[in-house]
Every structure is written in C-alpha cells, then in structure tokens.
Amino acid sequence: MELGIHFIDFLPGDSAKLAPTLVATAKAAEDIGATLFTLADHFFQMENVGRAEDPFLEGYTSLGYLAGQTETITLAMLVTGVTYRHPGLLAKIVTTLDVLSQGRSMFGIGAAWYDREHVALGVPYPAVRERFEMLEETLQICRQMWSDDNGPYDGKHYQLAETICEPQPIRRPPILIGGSGEKKTLRLVAQYADVWNTTDSEPDVLKHKIDVLTRHCETVGRDPAEIRKTVGLITDPFADIDGYLKTLERYAELGIEMINTGPLPGTPDPAGFVRHFGDEVAAKLSEIG
C-alpha cells in the first residue's frame, strides 16, 4: 500500500516559520518513501481543524514553492474546490505546477463546501446542483486543455473561445476526485477520475461506497480497476499501531491502494510526526496489499 502525506494545519504563530515547517514536512514525506504530498485547498482554516482566523496559505502558490524544494514526490491539492478558480485558469495553474515539478503534479478536484470563506471573500457559492454541474464542466475543460484540441468549449456555466494550453504538461496530470456522494460524485469518479479519494474510513462503509462506484463504472462501460482508490485517514497511528495496520489490511482487501494521512491538527512538529510515522509504520505499510 502506498502512502500520501496530507498537511492541513499551518500552526498559529510566526509567519516566518510557516515556509520552513512546510518544506521540512514535505521533505520528510519524501525521505520516508511517501509517493504523494497534499494540501487542503482553502482560503480560511477549516473550522473542524481550528479557527477560521488561524494561518492558512494559498494552495497552489505553496505547491509551486514545494516543487522547487522536493525531487520525487507527487504534489497535489486534496482537493481544489471547483468554485475557487475559473477552469481555464485552473488548468493553466496545474500545468505550470506540472512543468516546474518535472511531471509531478496531480489534479485534485471536488464540488466545494466551505461556505464561510466564500461569503467572506466574495467568491460566488452556488447551490449544490450548480456546483456539480460546474465540476463536470471543469473536468471536461481541463481534459480538453490537456489534449490536442485547442477549439472552443461551450457549456452551461463556462464558455471558452479557445482552449490553448502551452506548454502542455510533461505528464497529463492524473485526475483525482474527492468525495463519496453516491448519486453525483461517484458517477463523476466513474466517468472522469484516475484516482478517487474518500474520507469514509470505516471498512463496512467503504465497501458499500466501492460497490456503488463499481455499479457506476458498469453504467459508463469502464473497468473499476482503472481507478486508484485512496482513503483519507487523519487519526493517531501510534495509539494502537497493530490495530491501525489491521485496518489498513482490511482496506487492502477492498482494493484500496493508498492511504492519505498526516500530522494531526495542533501537532507542534509536523516533520517529526512524519519521520516517526516512517520509523514505526511506513515499512510495514509497504508490505500490505
């Protein structure tokens, strides 16, 4: 099973310490053999993690900085809210990250949910139905921009006269869709995604979601094995390492190929957490699945 490290808490305190802490954590993830380093894409800290007033850096600027500080690890958002950036510009941003990182980008996208930051900063926050329509159009636009088709795109929410994207990515960024909604999200995963990430971490619930995804794949004529399945698991792995590993073994039996974990909110030394995970868990993780 592969490992992704998810960094969500920029820690209250001196702004001058934020960049060194972020870099140290990403480098520690690379050193222990993690294949993916992700950030949450928000403008305010999530209120289930801390206070909206806590420090939170803009995501793609941060990933661009990390592209110059790391060498092998894939960099991505887990995940970008579809409302935050116009899809044509978003495709250009992700392409730039891919080129500067030498082909190490992944495109994480979801329907957005954090209404407070939208209202606070004046970012439109349409109804959920519209956000899912926007999400599907964004997926179509990005795929078109990462192809030989420079022609127009005429959708319900977005109209592009041209879809020029030069340079093209070194590697077409794999598309990761986050979420577990059975009617809309998993249908989009079946149709568009290379990678699916869910935060439904209970094995029985996870099995049900995978069954739903499989049915959607059958509907669109796609082999579900083509979609890498990943789980977000932000819990304390050190409280019961044996129990933690047994949970991961159950995940592997269900076809899960990666867990996304990381420093718990409030961890004073995120890089130290990652190194500790490498010492205690990572080697055993590599033997699962």
Side-chain angles (χ1 to χ4, degrees), residues 4-8 36-40 46 78-79 234 260-263:
I5 296 296
H6 189 47
F7 188 98
I8 57 174
L36 178 66
F37 189 84
T38 57
L39 302 176
M46 297 168 284
L78 198 65
V79 291
I234 307 295
N260 294 302
T261 188

Side-chain angles (χ1 to χ4, degrees), residues 22-278:
L22 178 61
V23 170
T25 308
K27 286 186 173 181
E30 199 167 57
D31 289 343
I32 69 168
T35 57
L36 178 66
F37 189 84
T38 57
L39 302 176
D41 193 15
H42 289 291
F43 305 129
F44 293 173
Q45 177 58 276
M46 297 168 284
E47 291 169 302
N48 61 342
V49 173
R51 305 176 309 141
E53 296 85 358
D54 287 343
F56 208 89
L57 298 179
E58 194 281 321
Y60 281 105
T61 309
S62 300
L63 290 180
Y65 179 64
L66 291 177
Q69 303 285 332
T70 55
E71 297 180 357
T72 60
I73 201 163
T74 297
L75 303 169
M77 291 297 183
L78 198 65
V79 291
T80 286
V82 70
T83 50
Y84 297 153
R85 301 168 188 86
H86 189 283
L89 300 181
L90 179 59
K92 187 69 176 180
I93 291 167
V94 176
T95 298
T96 300
L97 175 64
D98 189 80
V99 170
L100 295 181
S101 67
Q102 293 291 292
R104 292 188 287 125
S105 73
M106 182 181 289
F107 177 43
I109 186 79
W113 59 269
Y114 195 178
D115 55 345
R116 178 175 176 176
E117 63 185 355
H118 288 77
V119 174
L121 299 183
V123 178
Y125 187 67
V128 64
R129 176 183 58 80
E130 294 179 68
R131 299 202 308 276
F132 273 98
E133 293 172 350
M134 293 163 63
L135 176 57
E136 184 159 18
E137 290 190 13
T138 295
L139 290 163
Q140 293 169 353
I141 290 166
C142 288
R143 294 209 308 186
Q144 182 168 327
M145 290 188 68
W146 296 329
S147 75
D148 295 331
D149 183 357
N150 288 342
Y153 178 89
D154 187 17
K156 177 179 178 181
H157 297 278
Y158 304 111
Q159 295 80 42
L160 285 69
E162 299 178 275
T163 50
I164 297 170
C165 186
E166 292 296 338
Q168 282 283 294
I170 292 174
R171 173 191 72 155
R172 198 272 281 167
I175 294 171
L176 180 152
I177 296 177
S180 301
E182 296 182 13
K183 293 182 179 180
K184 296 182 179 179
T185 301
L186 292 181
R187 178 189 68 79
L188 294 175
V189 171
Q191 190 162 353
Y192 296 100
D194 302 295
V195 185
W196 168 54
N197 184 76
T198 178
T199 55
D200 284 324
S201 57
E202 288 295 325
D204 290 342
V205 175
L206 189 54
K207 181 181 183 303
H208 169 71
K209 298 293 184 179
I210 292 172
D211 290 342
V212 173
L213 175 59
T214 299
R215 291 196 294 272
H216 281 298
C217 286
E218 291 170 352
T219 299
V220 301
R222 189 172 182 198
D223 183 353
E226 294 177 2
I227 302 169
R228 294 180 64 203
K229 301 168 184 68
T230 70
V231 174
L233 187 63
I234 307 295
T235 60
D236 183 358
F238 310 120
D240 179 7
I241 292 177
D242 288 340
Y244 188 84
L245 292 171
K246 287 179 181 177
T247 298
L248 300 187
E249 288 172 355
R250 291 191 66 187
Y251 288 173
E253 292 170 358
L254 294 173
I256 301 301
E257 300 176 56
M258 175 186 286
I259 61 158
N260 294 302
T261 188
L264 301 174
T267 299
D269 180 12
F273 176 98
V274 172
R275 288 191 292 269
H276 188 196
F277 190 96

